Amino acid sequence: GMDAATQLLIDKQIISKRHGDLYSVGLDPRKDPLCVVDRNAAPYFGITSVGVHLNCFVRHGNGNNGVSLWMAQRAPDKAHYPSL
């Protein structure tokens, strides 16, 4: 199944490794999934995968200049969109 197909992607060096996040794949999230697939392999099967990226700001004091912005950056060793 999908596990063997993911291993083939690794063996052919299309992806470097399994991510470890398994995505449920189906037509209706309220029903049992058709299969599960590793997050790193999902795009190679036409499966849309999503993640969370968080940016935020913190206010310091009462003035307008007292704001810090925290910008997230992906690690350079990520399989998809490294250093973004």
Side-chain angles (χ1 to χ4, degrees):
M2 296 305 288
D3 191 52
T6 299
Q7 187 59 49
L8 183 62
L9 291 174
I10 295 168
D11 293 346
K12 298 289 184 181
Q13 298 179 345
I14 296 170
I15 62 175
S16 61
K17 62 182 180 179
R18 295 175 193 271
H19 187 278
D21 263 345
L22 294 178
Y23 275 17
S24 295
V25 179
L27 300 175
D28 186 338
R30 297 168 293 180
K31 295 185 179 179
D32 289 340
L34 301 172
C35 66
V36 293
V37 64
D38 187 85
R39 182 176 175 175
N40 274 354
Y44 297 95
F45 300 110
I47 299 166
T48 302
S49 60
V50 296
V52 176
H53 189 88
L54 179 66
N55 296 315
C56 63
F57 69 92
V58 177
R59 291 190 177 149
H60 305 281
N62 296 330
N64 290 336
N65 294 331
V67 176
S68 295
L69 183 61
W70 295 1
M71 299 294 295
Q73 182 175 4
R74 290 179 62 83
D77 63 343
K78 293 290 186 184
H80 300 287
Y81 311 107
S83 300
L84 181 66

